[in-house]
Amino acid sequence: MAQKIVAGNWKMNLEKEEAFDLVNQLNEKIEESTVRVIAFPPSIYVLPISKMSQGKFDLGVQNFYAKSAGAYTGEISIPQVKSVGGSIGLIGHSERREYFQEGNEFLKEKVDAALENSFEFIFCCGEPLEVREVGEELNFVKKQLEESLFHLSAEQMWKAIIAYEPIWAIGTGRTASAEQAEDMHANIRSWVEEKYNEETAKSVTILYGGSCKPENAKELFACPNIDGGLIGGAALKADDFCAIINAF
Ligand code: PEP
């Protein structure tokens, strides 16, 4: 069965004291639950946050480079992330795709690097508004998966976590309806089944991301193919984030 996850992507928000304050609140407010919680703070905070952690959430990075070390100014490697307490990374967030021109082939290298280094990852996919408006969203998302993820073996695919994040819903306040989200998630699961097998399809975690809030989380998480959420804006407020966790 797919694991249930609620992950918070803090993006490039919060200065040090604000970040630490949020961690203290999360330490206090996250209750025992069967849902796995992950925080993706800006990477410069991973080391101090790992020291503050009470084990209530795992720590990850919003970005990393596929090479292990060397002359790559400004980048951070998986071994470096692991050495400061991070165990998981985001790959292919739409903001990385859009503002930093990260394409499917480049993202595939990160997927391979993560697997080689026993590093977990959440692979983000999702279509822009103009693609949905012409009814091409399924082909668009399938291509993202085919070009960056579906080269994996079934055994490797078991380790993948996918986040469907329609770009038109990210940070816009406009959430995909539970029906729209479930439809895409069911399709993603069926493509995994076609490419691999039923067992793999059932085991792969598929998160929804895009203006997920305490008000809509329950309806989204009740859908059979939605295994949790990747949360942006609402992850910056401990009460909202915990309410989303508790929506399970
Ligand atoms: C995100 O950045 O992954 C995200 C889903 O953002 P928001 O929840 O703010 O739409």
Side-chain angles (χ1 to χ4, degrees):
M1 210 181 103
Q3 63 173 322
K4 306 290 180 200
I5 297 175
V6 173
N9 172 15
W10 300 4
K11 310 195 187 192
M12 199 175 71
N13 292 304
L14 307 180
E15 294 187 7
K16 185 182 77 173
E17 294 310 325
E18 297 167 317
F20 291 180
D21 184 47
L22 178 56
V23 173
N24 286 330
Q25 288 190 56
L26 292 176
N27 279 339
E28 203 178 290
K29 292 179 181 181
I30 295 177
E31 292 163 14
E32 278 293 312
S33 83
T34 51
V35 181
R36 179 179 177 198
V37 181
I38 310 171
F40 292 94
S43 51
I44 51 166
Y45 302 144
V46 170
L47 176 61
I49 292 177
S50 72
K51 292 186 173 159
M52 296 167 74
S53 164
Q54 297 178 356
K56 293 196 172 170
F57 55 87
D58 293 330
L59 263 179
V61 286
Q62 300 165 23
N63 185 37
F64 62 88
Y65 194 46
K67 306 280 186 206
S68 290
Y72 303 102
T73 302
E75 294 297 327
I76 54 170
S77 72
I78 295 172
Q80 289 173 326
V81 175
K82 287 171 84 169
S83 74
V84 294
S87 58
I88 181 165
L90 295 182
I91 298 180
H93 191 282
S94 62
E95 287 151 17
R96 300 268 350 145
R97 291 177 187 263
E98 182 182 351
Y99 303 135
F100 304 97
Q101 288 77 48
E102 295 192 1
N104 291 345
E105 188 58 35
F106 181 74
L107 299 173
K108 181 181 176 192
E109 287 174 25
K110 294 197 194 196
V111 167
D112 291 339
L115 286 160
E116 274 160 29
N117 287 280
S118 305
F119 188 65
E120 282 191 285
F121 64 89
I122 297 181
F123 181 83
C124 306
C125 55
E127 79 288 355
L129 185 59
E130 59 275 19
V131 167
R132 180 161 281 266
E133 279 174 345
V134 294
E136 276 299 309
E137 67 275 11
L138 293 178
N139 288 336
F140 187 93
V141 170
K142 193 173 187 193
K143 188 166 189 284
Q144 289 180 321
L145 297 172
E146 280 173 347
E147 293 187 357
S148 302
L149 207 58
F150 282 179
H151 63 289
L152 300 181
S153 66
E155 199 190 317
Q156 290 173 320
M157 194 63 195
W158 274 67
K159 300 187 180 127
I161 300 167
I162 296 172
Y164 169 59
E165 300 203 298
I167 299 173
W168 46 272
I170 296 181
T172 57
R174 183 179 165 185
T175 326
S177 66
E179 208 179 12
Q180 286 171 318
E182 170 59 18
D183 182 56
M184 180 62 81
H185 282 230
N187 273 286
I188 293 174
R189 211 176 289 286
S190 76
W191 301 328
V192 175
E193 185 172 343
E194 260 166 41
K195 171 80 193 160
Y196 299 95
N197 51 51
E198 194 186 346
E199 241 194 323
T200 310
K202 279 187 181 156
S203 78
V204 71
T205 294
I206 311 175
L207 308 178
Y208 169 78
S211 297
C212 185
K213 307 238 170 329
E215 302 80 52
N216 55 26
K218 218 175 188 138
E219 197 190 351
L220 287 161
F221 297 168
C223 298
N225 287 293
I226 299 182
D227 303 311
L230 178 55
I231 318 299
L236 299 173
K237 292 190 191 120
D239 284 336
D240 285 355
F241 190 57
C242 291
I244 293 172
I245 297 167
N246 295 337
F248 269 104

